């Protein structure tokens, strides 16, 4: 944990890249910008904060403060797999807000970060003024995820290669597929499997309890998280807007950052 001077910097510095002790584990976290509005974003599966790197550049230019982190088991935040649960992932979001001295923010989750974000908002609604879900995944453990967990243990690099090919179908995106593989491969196979298996005993979310303005951005060509689920979720959430990006796969934060940021700024305009 940073000392007193470090905590003051986290609250006041424009750009910070740091390792933090949060809830007993070390997390790699970043904060950019010093705007009056704050977005805290989390990635999915073993995707770290870099999934949000390009949107952050655009959002900070538009007057936002942007915070993200490598969640447990991803990037530079390795942990004992037994410490990876949906509850601890939610605790980490609140712990980061406290550490960065953020009283309230818009919370964003990509893919499997989506159900984590929903659980965090249900548990601590007073800490959030809005919700952004990008290609959200369901909070379930099914045969498909069981197979992905087993494949991760058997041959994680091969599994990641196949997964990235399905995630990024957009043409002229070889550089993004390479980047995506590099991001996911920083995780250990057992951590990758646990991030899937944790949904076996995760608490159940109730979208009807999330009353803050919500934005769902979803790629129409997503082969990982079906668009139909996003449509259903948009109907269950009391105040949700769904934007579908045609010809886009599972990671529009990387493949279509401008469209994602335009949608966020439209749904959460700057205060007058």
């Amino acid at each position: 944990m940073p000392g007193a001077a470090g905590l003051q910097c986290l609250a006041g510095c424009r750009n910070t890249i740091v390792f933090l002790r949060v809830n007993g584990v070390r997390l790699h976290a970043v904060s950019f910008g010093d705007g009056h509005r704050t977005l805290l974003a989390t990635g999915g599966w073993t995707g770290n904060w870099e999934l949000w790197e390009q949107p952050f550049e655009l959002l900070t230019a538009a007057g936002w403060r942007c915070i993200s982190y490598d969640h447990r088991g991803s990037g530079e935040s390795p942990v004992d797999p037994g410490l990876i649960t949906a509850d601890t992932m939610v605790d980490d979001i609140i712990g980061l807000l406290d550490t960065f001295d953020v009283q309230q923010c818009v919370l964003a989750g990509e893919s499997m970060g989506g159900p984590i974000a929903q659980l965090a908002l249900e548990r601590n609604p007073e800490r959030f003024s809005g919700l952004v879900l990008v290609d959200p995944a369901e909070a379930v453990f099914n045969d498909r995820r069981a197979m992905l967990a087993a494949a991760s243990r058997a041959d994680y690099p091969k599994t990641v290669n196949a997964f990235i090919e399905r995630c990024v179908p957009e043409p002229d995106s070889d550089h993004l597929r390479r980047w995506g593989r590099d991001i996911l491969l920083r995780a250990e196979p057992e951590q990758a499997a646990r991030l899937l298996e944790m949904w076996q005993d995760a608490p159940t979310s109730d979208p009807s309890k999330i009353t803050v303005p919500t934005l769902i951005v979803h790629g129409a060509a997503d082969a990982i998280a079906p668009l139909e689920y996003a449509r259903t979720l948009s109907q269950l959430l009391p105040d949700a807007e769904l934007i579908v990006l045609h010809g886009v796969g599972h990671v529009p934060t990387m493949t279509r950052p401008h469209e994602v940021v335009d949608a966020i700024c439209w749904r959460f305009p700057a205060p007058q």
Side-chain angles (χ1 to χ4, degrees):
M1 193 74 175
L7 286 174
Q8 183 179 4
C9 185
L10 292 182
C13 288
R14 179 175 174 82
N15 299 319
T16 303
I17 301 175
V18 67
F19 285 93
L20 302 172
R21 296 292 297 186
V22 178
N23 300 317
V25 300
R26 182 182 291 108
L27 299 179
H28 181 240
V30 299
S31 175
F32 302 112
D34 55 4
H36 296 296
R37 297 176 296 168
T38 298
L39 181 84
L40 189 152
T42 185
W45 194 27
T46 54
N48 71 348
W49 82 269
E50 290 174 59
L51 298 181
W52 289 92
E53 181 176 325
Q54 295 177 91
F56 277 13
E57 180 181 5
L58 300 169
L59 283 167
T60 54
W64 287 76
R65 182 186 185 189
C66 296
I67 298 171
S68 190
Y69 61 109
D70 299 354
H71 61 258
R72 296 178 183 227
S74 75
E76 302 308 320
S77 299
V79 299
D80 181 330
L83 299 177
I84 298 173
T85 69
D87 282 332
T88 57
M89 301 271 274
V90 169
D91 291 341
D92 290 344
I93 289 175
I94 304 304
L96 282 164
L97 288 177
D98 291 342
T99 302
F100 281 103
D101 194 27
V102 175
Q103 298 307 308
Q104 194 175 67
C105 73
V106 174
L107 181 61
E110 187 273 338
S111 189
M112 286 190 189
I116 294 296
Q118 292 175 69
L119 288 170
L121 205 144
E122 287 184 38
R123 186 182 298 178
N124 298 92
E126 73 282 357
R127 303 300 298 268
F128 306 106
S129 59
L131 176 65
V132 177
L133 303 172
V134 179
D135 291 62
E138 292 189 72
V140 298
F141 184 72
N142 51 26
D143 290 344
R144 182 177 176 183
R145 289 187 181 171
M147 292 175 61
L148 185 58
S152 296
R153 289 190 174 100
D155 190 336
Y156 187 53
K158 180 179 179 180
T159 300
V160 165
N161 284 339
F163 184 78
I164 289 296
E165 289 299 317
R166 298 187 70 214
C167 279
V168 187
E170 291 91 334
D172 302 321
S173 296
D174 286 346
H175 61 300
L176 296 177
R177 295 185 192 99
R178 177 185 173 86
W179 188 14
R181 286 191 293 269
D182 289 345
I183 290 171
L184 299 191
L185 286 172
R186 291 178 205 160
E188 297 295 329
E190 191 61 32
Q191 295 172 354
R194 178 58 192 162
L195 284 162
L196 297 160
E197 293 171 345
M198 72 179 183
W199 295 109
Q200 294 178 89
D201 51 9
T204 301
S205 174
D206 183 356
S208 68
K209 294 180 178 179
I210 298 175
T211 59
V212 298
T214 300
L215 170 69
I216 304 175
V217 179
H218 207 286
D222 188 345
I224 304 297
L227 175 57
E228 189 56 39
Y229 172 68
R231 295 192 191 280
T232 300
L233 187 59
S234 70
Q235 295 169 358
L236 295 173
L237 290 159
D239 186 9
E241 296 281 354
L242 171 64
I243 292 181
V244 178
L245 302 179
H246 295 284
V248 176
H250 185 61
V251 200
T253 54
M254 297 179 76
T255 62
R256 296 292 188 274
H258 286 85
E259 288 89 335
V260 171
V261 169
D262 286 346
I264 291 173
C265 292
W266 165 76
R267 187 67 169 121
F268 303 100
Q272 299 297 318

